[in-house]
Structures are given as structure tokens and as C-alpha cells.
Amino acid sequence: MSETGELAAAIEEVAALLGRAESVLFITGAGVSADSGLPTYRGVGGLYNDEDAGPEEGLPIEVLLSGPFFQRDPATTWKYIRQIEEACRGAQPNPAHAVMAALEGRVDRLWVMTQNVDGLHTAAGSQNVIELHGNIHRLRCTACDYRTSVRDYSALAPLPRCPDCRAVVRPDVVLFEEMLPEAAVAAMLRERARGFELVFTVGTSSPFPYVTDPVIQARRRGGASVEINPDRTRVSDLVTHKLSAGAADAMTRLAAALRR
Ligand code: NAD
Ligand code: ZN
């Protein structure tokens, strides 16, 4: 069969699985937002691909965006977080986000677990979202309980301070070398313990156990798993169905096949 024929057949199979499944997990990464025009982290269209054009401080971005570096020099970390926010500014959910949100009304139990910090799943209307790496639109004080949400960073000072206690305010995202948020981890473990009949990974290259474990778990329980990514990744050989396509394209075609 031709490559496009293979993809079309795989879409039909996955749509049939989706039509029957009572529990579905979507694990998403930067690739799901690529179709909203957001840069991925590395890979095609990545923010930090060109090693020669590295950050002017002469340090890798993983250091500049790390928890320990933020404690030493919050203004510099803020500068790079601001670049990420500017790259996301004004982005709208795409059909991949929209189809996942619509499926919540059709599948008994559906969760989206995302590594993205752009908030686009919630913006598309998904309710059961676990934001493992936080959300760039939420800010919190590093010293007191002050929290706020912002649409974008355009009105923020270069080093924003808490209106209550004057300590430095930070985005509620997970910086490198920081722990995942407790509530998100608890939700992830709770839902994973209940198990999922069908697990998707969409637009992520991450080799983290929280991406690979649910795929392995689904396999062990005789369930199906699907990767949606134009590239090959660590999970490509683990999944039962590999859809080599972009997220918006694949999810739109799945939704259309489900309607038939
Ligand atoms: P990644 O950049 O490492 O991987 C992105 C993956 O998406 C790649 O495998 C790529 O082949 C694939 N991809 C590219 N275009 C696609 C498309 N149109 N459809 C489907 N897949 C596509 O991203 P990651 O795995 O999420 O890990 C990077 C880390 O950086 C995460 O921890 C995340 O928190 C952070 N990040 C977040 C955002 C965001 O919030 N939108 C953006 C960049 C990075
Ligand atoms: Zn404060």
C-alpha cells in the first residue's frame, strides 16, 4: 500500500478504536501547538536549534531557564521566559485542540495530559487537563500566596514584583531542575491507576517516563496506543498505531472518520 493509503487505513482503525473506547488519554507536547504557529522546543521550527546563535549570556538555555539560575539571577531568566511568551502571544487553539475538547463529550472518561505551558487545551474548552509543566499565563509570588493570571506579559515590568510583599513574582511553570507540581502529579497518578483503554501521544519527542509509561501500561493491559507525529520518536516502536502526520491534520481526519 502507498504511504498515504497506509495513513488513511490507520486513521480508520484508530477512529474505530476511538468510537468504542470508554477511557482515553491524550499526552501532548509542543507539536500539538505547532499548528497554532508556536515554535517547538527543538526539532523542526525549534526555538533553540541553532547552537551558534545560542543565548547571549553564553550559557545553554537549559541553565538560563533553570530553577537554580532563576534564584541567582531572576531578571535574566525572566528575559528568556518573556521570549517564549512573546512567541506564544495571540496564539489560538487549532483543530487538534478543538477535536480533543469535543471528544470529552463523547468518551466516558477522557483526559489530556500536556507538557505545554501555553494554556491552549483549556482555551479550546477541554476540562480534564493536567498541565504537567504549569501555565505561562499564571504568575505567583516567590515569597507569599499572591497569585494572578495575565493574558500576556506586555504590561509586566522586566522583573515583576509582588504587589503585596515586593518579592519577585514568577511564572507558574516548571523550570529546568525543578519538581513537577504536586497537584498535577497526584492527578496523573490517580488517573493512571484507573488505566486507559486507548492512549495517544501527540507532538512530543520527550523520552520522559510520564510519556512512555502510559503507552507501555496500555500495551500490557491489551489496550491500544497511537502516536501522532510526523517524525519518529522513542515511542514510535512501542505504539500499536503510528500516524505520521501533523496533529491538526490527523485529529481533523479522525473526527471526520468518527462521524461516518
Ligand atoms: P519537543 O519540541 O521536544 O518535540 C516536539 C515534537 O513535535 C517533535 O517530535 C516534532 O516532530 C513534533 N511535531 C512538530 N510539528 C508537529 C505537528 N504539526 N504535529 C504533530 N507533531 C509535530 O516538545 P516536547 O516533547 O513537548 O518537549 C519540550 C519541552 O518544552 C516540554 O517540556 C514543554 O514544556 C516545553 N515547550 C512548551 C511549548 C508550548 O507550551 N507550546 C512549546 C515548546 C516547548
Ligand atoms: Zn508576595
Side-chain angles (χ1 to χ4, degrees):
M1 214 188 305
S2 70
E3 222 166 82
T4 47
E6 259 171 49
L7 178 61
I11 297 257
E12 293 300 326
E13 274 176 39
V14 173
L17 291 168
L18 202 43
R20 286 198 299 270
E22 287 176 6
S23 54
V24 176
L25 172 65
F26 283 98
I27 303 167
T28 71
V32 81
S33 294
D35 291 324
S36 292
L38 301 195
T40 55
Y41 177 53
R42 295 193 195 282
V44 180
L47 264 180
Y48 307 115
N49 278 328
D50 190 350
E51 313 243 314
D52 298 334
E56 67 216 62
E57 270 74 14
L59 290 167
I61 194 66
E62 288 84 355
V63 172
L64 296 162
L65 287 176
S66 70
F69 192 91
F70 176 76
Q71 292 193 347
R72 284 200 300 281
D73 182 358
T76 299
T77 303
W78 256 109
K79 187 171 93 182
Y80 288 101
I81 295 176
R82 197 178 274 275
Q83 285 182 1
I84 295 173
E85 189 279 321
E86 279 169 13
C88 295
R89 203 172 284 177
Q92 298 296 319
N94 66 58
H97 300 102
V99 170
M100 287 180 212
L103 283 170
E104 248 182 53
R106 182 184 166 121
V107 178
D108 273 0
R109 194 172 131 254
L110 184 148
W111 281 83
V112 174
M113 185 175 90
T114 189
Q115 301 166 84
N116 297 342
V117 296
D118 52 40
L120 290 178
H121 284 295
T122 322
S126 281
Q127 310 254 330
N128 296 337
V129 183
I130 299 171
E131 290 178 323
L132 273 184
H133 293 170
N135 186 319
I136 205 164
H137 305 292
R138 289 196 306 261
L139 307 177
R140 61 181 163 90
C141 179
T142 52
C144 76
D145 290 336
Y146 174 78
R147 287 177 165 271
T148 190
S149 280
V150 292
R151 218 168 118 88
D152 62 48
Y153 291 0
S154 56
L156 294 183
L159 184 59
R161 296 212 168 250
C162 175
D164 294 343
C165 77
R166 307 305 302 156
V168 169
V169 159
R170 61 169 286 175
D172 196 10
V173 298
V174 179
L175 296 171
F176 287 97
E177 292 178 56
E178 287 186 327
M179 311 265 281
L180 299 178
E182 259 174 56
V185 171
M188 168 177 82
L189 295 176
R190 180 193 70 220
E191 294 308 322
R192 228 161 66 187
R194 297 176 71 189
F196 289 97
E197 279 173 47
L198 183 57
V199 175
F200 288 80
T201 74
V202 190
T204 176
S205 68
S206 295
F208 298 126
Y210 49 77
V211 174
T212 50
D213 285 358
V215 172
I216 295 166
Q217 189 187 24
R219 245 206 135 92
R220 267 201 214 113
R221 296 186 180 199
S225 49
V226 184
E227 174 175 58
I228 300 178
N229 195 317
D231 265 353
R232 293 194 68 76
T233 72
R234 299 252 185 119
V235 301
S236 301
D237 292 324
L238 296 175
V239 292
T240 56
H241 296 79
K242 162 79 183 157
L243 304 183
S244 293
D249 176 35
M251 292 305 299
T252 304
R253 290 173 66 177
L254 280 173
L258 257 178
R259 279 195 299 271
R260 280 199 291 274

